[in-house]
Amino acid sequence: MAAAPNAITIFVAGDSTVCDWDPSASNALGPTERGWAQELSQYLKPGVAVANYAVSGQTAGGFYGAYWGPAKALIKAGDYVFVQFGHNDQKNAADIASYQANLTKYIMDAKSKN
């Protein structure tokens, strides 16, 4: 999950549709269940790493407060940040402004690291 020190790193924040699934986990739907970021590295050139911080069940705001700090600390110039939330956020659709504000935090964090 940690960034590769000399590689371009793609940092990923998201929910169950993105996270790494352990095939033996009791909440996995089956042994082949995968989040898309778990499989991403096989499509990238050598020298590009994926740091998948996604956590099943998270919302944009919940993840930012609980899990984003360690990833944010490792981002360096030239890295990328991929953010995918909405699946769990839709459960509170009346709070669109909060959802947008939370996504903006990720954008500002990534921009601050160039």
Side-chain angles (χ1 to χ4, degrees):
M1 182 166 20
N6 297 318
I8 294 169
T9 303
I10 298 171
F11 288 85
V12 183
D15 54 29
S16 63
T17 62
V18 185
C19 74
D20 290 346
W21 283 94
D22 177 349
S24 64
S26 62
N27 62 340
L29 297 176
T32 60
E33 182 170 17
R34 302 286 187 271
W36 63 259
Q38 187 172 4
E39 299 297 317
L40 183 60
S41 63
Q42 68 182 316
Y43 299 102
L44 303 173
K45 294 178 180 180
V48 179
V50 176
N52 188 1
Y53 283 81
V55 177
S56 180
Q58 288 299 305
T59 62
F63 183 92
Y64 191 88
Y67 299 100
W68 182 238
K72 179 179 152 183
L74 295 173
I75 299 169
K76 62 191 180 312
D79 288 341
Y80 294 86
V81 175
F82 291 5
V83 178
Q84 180 187 311
F85 290 102
H87 181 73
N88 296 310
D89 293 272
Q90 72 178 345
K91 295 171 185 169
N92 188 10
D95 200 6
I96 298 294
S98 177
Y99 175 70
Q100 291 172 332
N102 285 319
L103 291 181
T104 300
K105 291 179 194 177
Y106 295 99
I107 294 166
M108 299 309 294
D109 289 349
K111 282 183 161 186
S112 75
K113 301 286 186 131
N114 295 317

